[in-house]
């Protein structure tokens, strides 16, 4: 695995893979699966996804694919989603800029239907754009 720097989110690893984060709104919402939250079905937050990507990937393309597949398999949630009685749709999704020395990608992720899984999309930004 690669060494990385983090704050709440993973920031950069020893290979120069870098991630910048912005919370954003969505029309879906999900919650973490814990024993005290019977309404939660998801296991991966953006904090988890960025740190795992920085540990395992040397390229932005690898990071985007890995974060997307983990989010779908284990379910994505935002720590800022509120509760089922007071959902916070304004802060329930995440957007990331994911860059290595060769490529830049924009990655977006939201919780999937019925508070489970995830829906994600990524786009490579062309050089010079």
């Amino acid at each position: 695995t690669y060494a990385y720097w983090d704050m709440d989110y993973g920031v950069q690893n020893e290979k120069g893979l870098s991630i910048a984060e912005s919370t954003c709104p969505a029309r879906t919402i999900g919650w973490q699966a814990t024993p005290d939250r019977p309404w939660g079905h998801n296991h991966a937050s953006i904090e988890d996804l960025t740190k795992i990507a920085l540990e395992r990937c040397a390229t932005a393309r690898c990071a985007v694919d890995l974060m997307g597949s983990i989010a779908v398999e284990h379910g994505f949630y935002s720590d800022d989603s509120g509760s089922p009685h007071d959902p916070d749709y304004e802060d329930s999704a995440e957007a990331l800029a994911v860059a290595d020395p060769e490529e830049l990608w924009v990655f977006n992720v939201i919780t999937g239907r019925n508070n489970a899984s995830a829906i994600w999309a990524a786009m490579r930004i062309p050089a010079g754009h």
Side-chain angles (χ1 to χ4, degrees):
T1 61
Y2 301 117
Y4 66 91
W5 295 271
D6 73 331
M7 298 189 306
D8 289 335
Y9 307 95
V11 178
Q12 186 177 47
N13 72 12
E14 64 182 285
K15 295 296 186 179
L17 175 62
S18 302
I19 300 175
E21 177 274 340
S22 180
T23 303
C24 48
R27 295 186 62 126
T28 65
I29 198 160
W31 294 280
Q32 182 180 17
T34 61
D36 63 326
R37 294 182 182 181
W39 62 85
H41 302 292
N42 303 291
H43 297 279
S45 70
I46 203 66
E47 293 89 343
D48 302 322
L49 295 175
T50 58
K51 292 174 186 179
I52 292 168
L54 290 172
E55 285 177 348
R56 298 182 184 178
C57 294
T59 67
R61 184 180 303 258
C62 170
V64 165
D65 288 339
L66 180 63
M67 289 186 295
S69 65
I70 291 171
V72 168
E73 182 176 343
H74 297 284
F76 168 77
Y77 70 92
S78 170
D79 284 324
D80 302 319
S81 292
S83 72
H85 305 293
D86 187 21
D88 185 357
Y89 292 98
E90 291 299 314
D91 297 316
S92 63
E94 297 287 346
L96 303 175
V98 184
D100 64 38
E102 303 297 323
E103 291 187 326
L104 171 65
W105 288 75
V106 175
F107 173 85
N108 290 280
V109 63
I110 63 175
T111 303
R113 184 182 297 202
N114 299 321
N115 178 28
S117 190
I119 300 167
W120 68 278
M123 185 172 94
R124 184 179 170 275
I125 307 302
H129 186 65

